Amino acid sequence: MSHIRRTLFACAVVLACARAQNLTDDQLDAVKSNLMQGAKQSWELGTESEALTELDTPSYAVVNGSSVPPPLGSAPSSLGEVLTIAKNVVSSLSISSNNPDAPQPLDLPSGGAAGDSASLGFAVLLANWTGQGASDNLDYAAAATAQLNWTLTAVPRTSDGAISHRIEQVELWSDSVYMVPPFLAYYGALNNNQSLLQEAHDQISLYRNYLRDTNAGGLWKHIVLGNQSQVDNGHWSTGNGWAAGGMIRVLGTIQHSEFSGKMKNQIKDLISWTSEIHDAMYPHLTSDMLFTNYADDSSTFQDAASTALLASTVYRLALLGGVHTHVPLAERCRQALSAPLNNSTSSASSSQAAVQRRQASTSSTDRPGPSAAHSPSSSSVSHSPSSSSSAAPSATQSLAHFDGAMWLTPVPNPDAWSEAGQHSPEGQAFVLEMYAAWRDWVAAGAPGANTAFALRAGGVGVLISLATGALLGVGWL
Ligand SMILES: *[C@@H]1O[C@H](CO)[C@@H](O)[C@H](O)[C@H]1NC(C)=O
Ligand SMILES: *[C@@H]1O[C@H](CO)[C@@H](O)[C@H](O)[C@H]1NC(C)=O
Ligand SMILES: *[C@@H]1O[C@H](CO)[C@@H](O)[C@H](O)[C@H]1NC(C)=O
Ligand SMILES: *[C@@H]1O[C@H](CO)[C@@H](O)[C@H](O)[C@H]1NC(C)=O
Ligand SMILES: *[C@@H]1O[C@H](CO)[C@@H](O)[C@H](O)[C@H]1NC(C)=O
Ligand SMILES: *[C@@H]1O[C@H](CO)[C@@H](O)[C@H](O)[C@H]1NC(C)=O
Ligand SMILES: *[C@@H]1O[C@H](CO)[C@@H](O)[C@H](O)[C@H]1NC(C)=O
Ligand SMILES: *[C@@H]1O[C@H](CO)[C@@H](O)[C@H](O)[C@H]1NC(C)=O
């Protein structure tokens, strides 16, 4: 091939990098229906309820510009799926008529994951707020208050007050930052209780003290304290995403509440702690624009789920906190995750093969992580479509990072975080959160879209990856 044609090809690759690539509404609908069909565990349903609200009813989401609490009165029909989650949860509780507020989680922590049930609190509080009990006679307010009381009084804590993610003993998991503080904050904002907003901030601060690893550039560890066979000092990418996502939710809740004027310092903290995670994570992005399952361990498989979750927090931080540093990289990640199979930004088909090779070589070895992420495998495997489900990707796969049925790939097994999995409901939710955040960010005028060529870490990353894309393009001929 002539020199000129090579050069033209490299330019085309670079241009393709620069061209926006978006999932269509039909594709997002398929992502959503997989999520709705696949989510079974409490944290999956909690995350689903938040993702669907952000996507379909932004004026009721804590991360949009809307006020918290949302308007009183009947709910818009777009909240139907979220309210159905709340109804299913609350109708399976037994609420004592003598003492309806008595401490009780919204879902039995069969596996001992105390934090996960709190993530259902958002949907349940919203069901109460919009008066669902008047038609179905369920006591949503009591159910939410019982969960609050349980979280605050029944779950063990560290001596300095960090609420454990597990019920049987104190363990701090990065995951918990997405599950618990946002519920405390939302309860506080809906009940004029500033001390609960403060508690949400303080819990994040405590978790940060334990989990942020200053020897790893500020990446968060996954699990500390408690059961030595569960401790995971590795820097799990999804865990960093859960932590940043929880911070963003608490940030949005405080900012849009009546207490925002009184809590300026807490707002500042949350912006700076979220930035810290972004600053630590983005230098580890691979040239395929994905994180690896453990951000600083390139021998682990590539992970589209954490990549989507973190991108959502970057768009949100740009809107809520005015921080634009990583916006150009989040855009590149979103485009890579949305790229067609035969035409991707950085030669996706060859990188896919590499991913599959990496998955094959790491899934059975590497990390000795236990096989139950939030809940024990005994309760999860039978319900979850995620683990080694037999559904094969359909032959009509047209996108590099979704199978033919629009399941995101590659992803960790949600029930065994150190292994690659096939179907991840939380990964589907992260895609919707990324697209909801991106849409809001575009509607706000895409602030920070041109930070790319500023002399900052993010800009250098883009330049390097553009160059990598061009080289791959040439090498490919
Ligand atoms: C993607 O969406 C953005 C914002 O709506 C639009 O400007 C752009 O043209 C779209 N790109 C493609 C390839 O559809
Ligand atoms: C809230 O969502 C709407 C709809 O996407 C968007 O127009 C608006 O800019 C968003 N506001 C913020 C601050 O995200
Ligand atoms: C539960 O919390 C509510 C609100 O803080 C309080 O009024 C109630 O007494 C608590 N009930 C129990 C049993 O802890
Ligand atoms: C339930 O909703 C009502 C408004 O409909 C509100 O006054 C009350 O504080 C809410 N209760 C809880 C626990 O959020
Ligand atoms: C806020 O909530 C906490 C926990 O339920 C409770 O102890 C406290 O009394 C509440 N404060 C106000 C002002 O309602
Ligand atoms: C510690 O975790 C392992 C693996 O999840 C489990 O088998 C064991 O029972 C746990 N030990 C305690 C004391 O909880
Ligand atoms: C592939 O890329 C070329 C040029 O970059 C573009 O014209 C074409 O529409 C793309 N095809 C698909 C399926 O996206
Ligand atoms: C490329 O992908 C598009 C759909 O994205 C498909 O219609 C087309 O047939 C594919 N072309 C090749 C050569 O695989």
Side-chain angles (χ1 to χ4, degrees), residues 12 16 19 21 340 342-343:
R19 183 187 296 117
Q21 287 172 305
N342 58 5
N343 207 19

Side-chain angles (χ1 to χ4, degrees), residues 160 192 240 255 268 281 306 330 339 358 366 374 399 402 415:
D160 56 357
N192 311 309
N240 279 268
Q255 274 182 327
K268 238 185 268 170
M281 285 296 292
S306 61
R358 249 175 279 181
D366 268 351
H374 303 247
L399 298 175
F402 291 87
D415 299 317

Side-chain angles (χ1 to χ4, degrees), residues 340-353:
L341 181 58
N342 58 5
N343 207 19
S344 103
T345 52
S346 55
S347 67
S349 29
S350 62
S351 73
Q352 264 224 332

